[in-house]
Amino acid sequence: MKFRGSILVVDDEEIVRDSLASWLQEDGYRADTAADGPTALAKLTQQPYNILLVDLKMPGMDGLQVLAQAKTLPPDAPVIIMTAYATVDTAVQAMKQGAYDYLVKPFEPEELSLMVGKLTNTQALRRENILLRKALKHQYEFKDMVSKSPKMEAVFQLARTAAKSSSTVLILGESGTGKDLLARAIHAESPRRDGPFVGVSCVALTETLLESELFGYEKGAFTGAAGGARGKFELAAGGTLFLDEIGDISLKLQLDLLRVLDAREFRRVGGTQVIKVDARIIAATNRELKKLVESGTFREDLYYRLNVIPVTLLPLRDRKEDIPLLAEHFLAQFSTEMQKPLEALSTEALEILMAHGWPGNVRELRNVLERGAVLARGPIITPLELELAQSDVVPSPPGPAEPADSLKDVERKHIISILKQHHWNITRSAKALGIDRVTLYNKMKRYQIREVE
Amino acid sequence: MDAEAEIRLTWIGRGDIDPDLLGRVRCQVERIFDRPTNLRVAHGPPEEALDRKRGQYSSTKILRWIVTTLASGSNKVLGITDVDLFIPVLTYVFGEAQVRGAAAVVSLARLRVTYNQRPAPPPLMEARLLKECLHELGHTFGLVHCSDSACLMSRSNSVLDVDLKGAQFCRDCRQRLWGLMDEEREQS
């Protein structure tokens, strides 16, 4: 069933409310009713509606009063006033107060169909436009980060404050906790928001490639460099440079980076001209940088240079109270994207999500819900549609033959088994594991997993 | 299939109806929904549904009456009447149904005339009645209006719309209908 939107019918006559709601339901709308203005306004504060159909003459609070109050409440749904007493005065007054239109009772079925259809189509286009623009520009803001955990709220507050400055921010957190999203949100809230946001994953490239990727190169700098190219530092001029997976760069590059961050200037590979750095640096890693410093694989001076404002994102298992909120957020998103009437998770489905350990964090939750949204046959997602139920939640008893596997061994074996299941397709395997491709490459490198296995 | 679940086409008109016409509609309904379908006659429509000022009957009140007096178990009851129907805010309706419910009603009043208010030829009226019966029954199984104007489930705001749409469900609605009927069977 295609979900076309939700409509609140406000009328003091029960038969009008019921018949109109029934008529709208036949059109695929979710129709709700309210017998008077105060009830309607109470409903509006509980959930958003796409359209309000409000009778003009009602005892107590009349239609125009409901209209005035409704206009002050988000998301400012369009109001259609219904009236049996059509006078120019009331119509003008309604339109002046911001009503979308008015209908004189009784009206032709076609009139109502067209008006409601036109409104919902316009709203759907507007929503799609916002989503597309957001996807196109990757303009994510703090309001896209969902949490009611006090610890996360403190993290967001710190990030918001940090955004106002030009200081370097170091984002720490496990894979899938939203480091990239937070970096984009900091950029979007910073004075550099109109400049570019340039991200680079330091783990996806070899040392030489990363060097030319970051600093650019001049013509003839190396074999194949037929023309010069600007690097990420230059491309991010006036904006933000996001160095993801910073814990995975080589010692040589760490030194280069340190020099650039100290001097705020650099040269392209093979070049002599000094170029000033005009980018705000945000770095992120899922590795424990302090331990890497202790083991000598990460430079202490670079660590302190980056660790100006450290922000740590909590793993999902430590903020389980956010699961219902995040689920609601993602379902609303999928409902719009897929044009499906996804309203909620069943109690059993939510219990399963709450019981899960979420090694892949929010990204894993998003993937599980996306799968559920695709498979859902109705507005409620049940455990049947969450594949998690069979594969991840029920812990299998440890087999007597393999009692001494370390956590790392188990992870290595699990990754190999998923890769085999997906015929070594990295994208699909990463999705099944609830991690991104880069993290999977990382883990494969760390555990020395190659396709021959 | 649940032995109890059937479709009851019930004449609730004020005048008479050609039983052969209803018989042919019954056959088509049974064939398309693959569910035992029978014909009944009930004393109706209820007087409390009549709006004397408008000279029309409230389809919503008729539905309530069907639910309380004619419906039982998991059966679907489709009332067919000759009186003109309305819902308070609209000038008229051809019919009304409970989406995923037990009751529906269809009126012949506006299907019996042509665009210039002359009596419609019997085959045309029969085709219109069948389309509206299948449409309203589709709602009772959970189908909503379809954006494909050729589909039986597209909304008809005028007799012209009824004539223009096809006499079959589109592929999507048909598949959805089978799914909804399976669900209903599992739940009953």
Side-chain angles (χ1 to χ4, degrees):
Chain A
M1 188 194 298
K2 193 177 164 190
F3 178 61
R4 301 192 60 189
S6 55
I7 300 180
L8 180 63
V9 178
V10 190
D11 200 302
D12 55 318
E13 278 185 75
E14 191 204 0
I15 190 79
V16 174
R17 290 196 303 273
D18 287 356
S19 58
L20 196 48
S22 161
W23 193 86
L24 292 163
Q25 277 159 7
E26 288 181 3
D27 255 354
Y29 295 103
R30 190 168 57 74
D32 202 354
T33 59
D36 50 47
T39 313
L41 295 172
K43 287 197 171 197
L44 279 173
T45 55
Q46 285 159 10
Q47 64 171 102
Y49 290 92
N50 295 93
I51 299 171
L52 270 63
L53 277 166
V54 183
D55 188 33
L56 182 67
K57 280 220 167 177
M58 290 186 289
M61 189 183 248
D62 72 12
L64 292 181
Q65 287 171 301
V66 176
L67 167 68
Q69 292 281 317
K71 287 274 136 201
T72 64
L73 297 169
D76 190 11
V79 177
I80 298 172
I81 295 282
M82 302 180 291
T83 171
Y85 316 91
T87 66
V88 175
D89 281 353
T90 47
V92 168
Q93 205 180 338
M95 301 301 275
K96 263 189 181 168
Q97 274 186 236
Y100 172 80
D101 213 333
Y102 72 98
L103 289 166
V104 181
K105 292 192 276 188
F107 31 86
E108 294 292 316
E110 194 153 23
E111 212 178 340
L112 181 60
S113 256
L114 283 175
M115 196 178 285
V116 172
K118 196 171 127 193
L119 258 177
T120 45
N121 286 343
T122 313
Q123 287 176 338
L125 280 173
R126 197 175 298 150
R127 267 199 310 275
E128 195 179 331
N129 187 269
I130 291 169
L131 276 175
L132 286 172
R133 273 212 310 246
K134 202 171 251 190
L136 204 65
K137 293 189 180 176
H138 292 290
Q139 275 186 346
Y140 298 95
E141 296 163 7
F142 279 105
K143 64 179 167 60
D144 294 304
M145 311 209 61
V146 178
S147 180
K148 62 175 178 183
S149 142
K151 281 184 189 165
M152 285 297 276
E153 265 306 313
V155 168
F156 295 154
Q157 196 46 50
L158 173 66
R160 258 191 212 108
T161 312
K164 305 277 184 271
S165 73
S166 285
S167 306
T168 302
V169 177
L170 177 63
I171 306 173
L172 302 162
E174 292 179 10
S175 286
T177 46
K179 297 187 288 294
D180 180 276
L181 192 64
L182 183 64
R184 289 177 192 277
I186 292 173
H187 170 73
E189 202 130 317
S190 75
R192 294 172 167 265
R193 71 173 75 86
D194 294 326
F197 176 91
V198 178
V200 57
S201 170
C202 300
V203 77
L205 303 165
T206 62
E207 184 181 297
T208 339
L209 270 175
L210 185 58
E211 190 184 10
S212 52
E213 185 79 7
L214 286 176
F215 308 120
Y217 54 87
E218 295 293 351
K219 186 179 174 184
F222 47 83
T223 316
R230 293 194 298 164
K232 301 284 188 192
F233 269 98
E234 274 180 81
L235 292 170
T240 302
L241 177 62
F242 176 49
L243 301 169
D244 200 5
E245 311 289 347
I246 194 77
D248 292 83
I249 60 172
S250 70
L251 282 164
K252 181 193 172 294
L253 259 176
Q254 287 177 32
L255 184 60
D256 289 344
L257 200 56
L258 179 67
R259 282 186 185 139
V260 173
L261 296 180
D262 268 339
R264 305 293 295 175
E265 59 186 32
F266 64 97
R267 288 187 181 87
R268 286 183 185 171
V269 177
T272 50
Q273 193 196 342
V274 174
I275 301 165
K276 287 275 174 206
V277 171
D278 176 26
R280 194 253 183 92
I281 308 295
I282 301 179
T285 181
N286 60 2
R287 318 262 314 250
E288 288 190 47
L289 277 191
K290 248 189 180 163
K291 281 195 179 163
L292 296 182
V293 170
E294 282 163 17
S295 65
T297 47
F298 200 85
R299 293 183 65 99
E300 192 175 10
D301 39 12
L302 179 60
Y303 171 69
Y304 286 115
R305 168 61 67 187
L306 294 171
N307 199 28
V308 181
I309 305 175
V311 178
T312 306
L313 289 171
L314 295 178
L316 190 53
R317 63 180 172 280
D318 290 349
R319 51 180 187 116
K320 286 204 163 175
E321 67 269 37
D322 279 344
I323 291 175
L325 197 66
L326 284 162
E328 193 185 320
H329 173 76
F330 289 134
L331 287 188
Q333 199 179 331
F334 296 140
S335 181
T336 308
E337 284 174 10
M338 300 177 189
Q339 297 223 329
K340 275 180 98 167
L342 303 167
E343 283 176 14
L345 289 158
S346 71
T347 314
E348 298 79 15
L350 190 59
E351 275 169 9
I352 287 173
L353 296 188
M354 295 298 278
H356 186 57
W358 301 110
N361 290 298
V362 181
R363 185 183 295 117
E364 185 187 1
L365 174 67
R366 191 183 190 281
N367 289 347
V368 166
L369 288 172
E370 185 174 357
R371 199 160 47 205
V374 170
L375 297 176
R377 292 170 69 184
I380 306 292
I381 295 187
T382 64
L384 281 175
E385 285 127 20
L386 301 175
E387 283 179 26
L388 189 69
Q390 294 79 32
S391 56
D392 299 348
V393 173
V394 184
S396 53
E402 302 173 277
D405 275 356
S406 73
L407 193 59
K408 282 182 179 171
D409 289 336
V410 173
E411 188 177 45
R412 186 174 189 275
K413 282 180 185 171
H414 184 57
I415 290 173
I416 292 172
S417 114
I418 294 289
L419 281 164
K420 282 182 179 167
Q421 267 179 43
H422 293 90
H423 308 287
W424 295 85
N425 180 312
I426 300 295
T427 308
R428 270 188 248 146
S429 304
K431 201 163 184 185
L433 288 162
I435 56 179
D436 61 28
R437 290 170 61 249
V438 174
T439 309
L440 178 55
Y441 273 123
N442 255 338
K443 288 185 186 288
M444 288 171 70
K445 204 157 116 188
R446 203 174 306 155
Y447 294 135
Q448 298 184 330
I449 300 171
R450 287 188 195 88
E451 194 174 341
V452 284
E453 294 184 71
Chain B
M1 189 193 295
D2 186 345
E4 285 297 306
E6 59 184 29
I7 296 172
R8 296 176 181 168
L9 304 185
T10 309
W11 174 249
I12 50 170
R14 294 180 68 186
D16 294 327
I17 181 84
D18 174 8
D20 291 343
L21 164 68
L22 285 189
R24 287 191 294 275
V25 171
R26 186 202 71 78
C27 285
Q28 290 297 319
V29 168
E30 188 168 70
R31 184 181 66 78
I32 288 173
F33 289 102
D34 190 23
R35 186 165 285 206
T37 303
N38 55 51
L39 286 178
R40 293 169 183 229
V41 177
H43 180 70
E47 276 311 297
E48 68 264 23
L50 173 65
D51 184 315
R52 294 185 192 281
K53 247 194 236 167
R54 295 181 60 148
Q56 290 173 299
Y57 282 74
S58 159
S59 55
T60 311
K61 285 185 180 171
I62 294 182
L63 276 191
R64 287 179 187 170
W65 172 76
I66 291 177
V67 170
T68 52
T69 59
L70 304 178
S72 64
S74 47
N75 300 314
K76 306 283 183 199
V77 181
L78 171 69
I80 303 173
T81 186
D82 50 1
V83 298
D84 196 21
L85 302 177
F86 78 102
I87 65 170
V89 292
L90 297 181
T91 44
Y92 69 90
V93 289
F94 292 125
E96 189 181 338
Q98 293 180 307
V99 177
R100 290 199 104 157
V105 60
V106 166
S107 163
L108 268 169
R110 290 178 190 252
L111 306 179
R112 288 200 289 212
V113 289
T114 58
Y115 318 125
N116 49 12
Q117 302 305 309
R118 301 177 77 91
L124 179 62
M125 189 203 64
E126 184 174 328
R128 288 173 177 174
L129 178 64
L130 179 62
K131 285 180 194 176
E132 287 310 289
C133 288
L134 295 171
H135 178 100
E136 297 302 342
L137 283 167
H139 282 315
T140 64
F141 285 105
L143 289 181
V144 294
H145 287 149
C146 177
S147 54
D148 178 351
S149 59
C151 172
L152 256 181
M153 288 314 293
S154 64
R155 183 184 273 292
S156 301
N157 287 319
S158 64
V159 272
L160 183 63
D161 291 341
V162 181
D163 291 341
L164 287 176
K165 71 181 172 187
Q168 300 202 331
F169 294 108
C170 69
R171 212 174 119 203
D172 283 354
C173 284
R174 199 165 51 236
Q175 280 177 352
R176 216 169 288 144
L177 177 66
W178 296 145
L180 288 163
M181 289 176 83
D182 283 346
E183 263 176 47
E184 200 181 87
R185 239 174 251 134
E186 281 163 21
Q187 282 166 9
S188 64

